[in-house]
Amino acid sequence: MSGSLKIGVIGANGWLGGAIVQALLDAGIVSPEHLVLSLRSGEPTRFPAARWTRDNQDLADSVDLLIVSVRPADWPALGVRAAGKLVISVMAGIGLERLIAGLGSERVVRALPNAAAEVRASFTPWIATPALSAEERRLVGRIFEACGTSAQLESERELDYLTGLAGSGPAFPALLATAMMRHATAHGIDAEVARQAVTHLLVGTGRLFEKNGDDPANTVEVFLDYRGTTAAAIGAMRANGFDEAVGAGLAAAFHKSISMGLSA
Ligand SMILES: NC(=O)C1=CN([C@@H]2O[C@H](COP(=O)(O)OP(=O)(O)OC[C@H]3O[C@@H](n4cnc5c(N)ncnc54)[C@H](OP(=O)(O)O)[C@@H]3O)[C@@H](O)[C@H]2O)C=CC1
Ligand SMILES: O=C(O)[C@@H]1CCC=N1
């Protein structure tokens, strides 16, 4: 695979598709003139130097690597054939078997980036069919390293599980942040002050985790040892079902990632 690799992205006007294209360009994996991008409605809003089309089959025929980034519900109607092409799907739930049958290619990757690809901070688990060469696997690794960091998995079951934990993941700290902001403003804290407090605690905690690289449970233990405000909060959160609520949420995501792949 050389610098003249042609990449096509179906759904490039969408959130994740656009983020991946930007990451590919930023990392120099593809040049704009080697990009073919498709959209369904509206007009292209980004990447003016790329070739935009509404003809997905023409796109698939024109490129070396095809990335499919439409919503799972739009997959059955897509009808694109990509025999002999390397294909990456980032659609939640759609399994390798269905991708191979639908696309007519044996060289397929299922990947689950997350919304942080927009800031090149996604964690992206992925799995490939056995037909991918070592060089193609390196290329896939480079693509998702461009979006943040990545891990190649051995089993599709792991990917189904991580669809919730990693793919949906940014929504969960956002949910926590929403609950914290709601509580703070109900206690008279200015909404902008609450927003800043919550944003900085998420970013700051992430940076601490990156710096220390240890088990988050250690951080919880260190705070519990103070027997102060943090311990009081953690005790009350746990007594009110915090761990159970998180577990039930991740189990629901795991279940949905399997069921939506069967029904979409
Ligand atoms: N966003 C996220 O955080 C994550 C998303 N994913 C997966 O990525 C995929 C895309 O998600 P996301 O970017 O958020 O969704 P978006 O709705 O933002 O983007 C999907 C895009 O696909 C376009 N589209 C649909 N059908 C076609 C078609 N036939 N031809 C060309 N374009 C088409 C849509 O066009 P239109 O505007 O007309 O609807 C839309 O622009 C999903 O399968 C999702 O499961 C995975 C992990 C994380
Ligand atoms: O919620 C979803 O189904 C997809 C997967 C992760 C983000 N969006």
Side-chain angles (χ1 to χ4, degrees):
M1 301 275 172
S2 72
S4 61
L5 181 80
K6 281 193 168 177
I7 300 182
V9 182
I10 300 179
N13 228 18
W15 185 5
L16 188 58
I20 292 172
V21 171
Q22 188 63 60
L24 291 174
L25 289 168
D26 289 350
I29 291 173
V30 68
S31 50
E33 65 275 17
H34 289 135
L35 269 174
V36 188
L37 308 176
S38 85
L39 79 172
R40 179 171 62 176
S41 60
E43 295 301 322
T45 52
R46 306 168 71 179
F47 317 120
R51 176 163 82 83
W52 282 91
T53 179
R54 293 174 200 274
D55 183 340
N56 289 316
Q57 190 58 59
D58 174 57
L59 177 152
D61 293 343
S62 317
V63 299
D64 307 302
L65 165 64
L66 175 64
I67 299 177
V68 181
S69 186
V70 301
R71 294 193 179 197
D74 290 320
W75 159 250
L78 199 61
V80 166
R81 301 294 287 174
K85 305 273 170 166
L86 176 59
V87 185
I88 299 175
S89 161
V90 296
M91 295 179 289
I94 312 295
L96 285 174
E97 209 173 297
R98 287 191 65 198
L99 292 168
I100 291 168
L103 295 158
S105 172
E106 292 287 331
R107 286 153 59 227
V108 177
V109 172
R110 219 186 127 189
L112 253 300
N114 66 38
E118 209 177 310
V119 290
R120 301 188 62 179
S122 169
F123 170 73
T124 306
W126 59 276
I127 186 163
T129 53
L132 257 82
S133 68
E135 191 188 355
E136 288 170 331
R137 284 166 201 269
R138 277 194 295 278
L139 173 65
V140 174
R142 277 179 64 213
I143 288 171
F144 291 116
E145 291 294 313
C147 297
T149 187
S150 70
Q152 185 179 180
L153 306 178
E154 296 301 324
S155 94
E156 228 176 332
R157 184 179 165 80
E158 284 180 284
L159 193 77
D160 284 327
Y161 180 82
L162 291 172
T163 297
L165 184 80
S168 307
F172 308 145
L175 185 67
L176 177 65
T178 304
M180 292 175 89
M181 274 193 65
R182 189 175 298 134
H183 190 269
T185 52
H187 282 74
I189 305 299
D190 175 77
E192 180 52 22
V193 171
R195 193 194 63 78
Q196 281 192 33
V198 160
T199 302
H200 284 280
L201 87 82
L202 290 180
V203 173
T205 306
R207 283 167 61 177
L208 276 176
F209 279 5
E210 269 187 349
K211 173 178 167 282
N212 297 334
D214 64 353
D215 186 339
N218 294 341
T219 306
V220 173
E221 281 308 316
V222 168
F223 278 118
L224 287 174
D225 278 351
Y226 283 81
R227 295 183 172 77
T229 55
T230 323
I234 290 171
M237 285 179 184
R238 284 183 160 163
N240 280 277
F242 186 87
D243 291 351
E244 292 78 3
V246 171
L250 293 176
F254 185 22
H255 181 261
K256 181 75 176 175
S257 77
I258 293 170
S259 66
M260 73 196 279
L262 301 175
S263 61

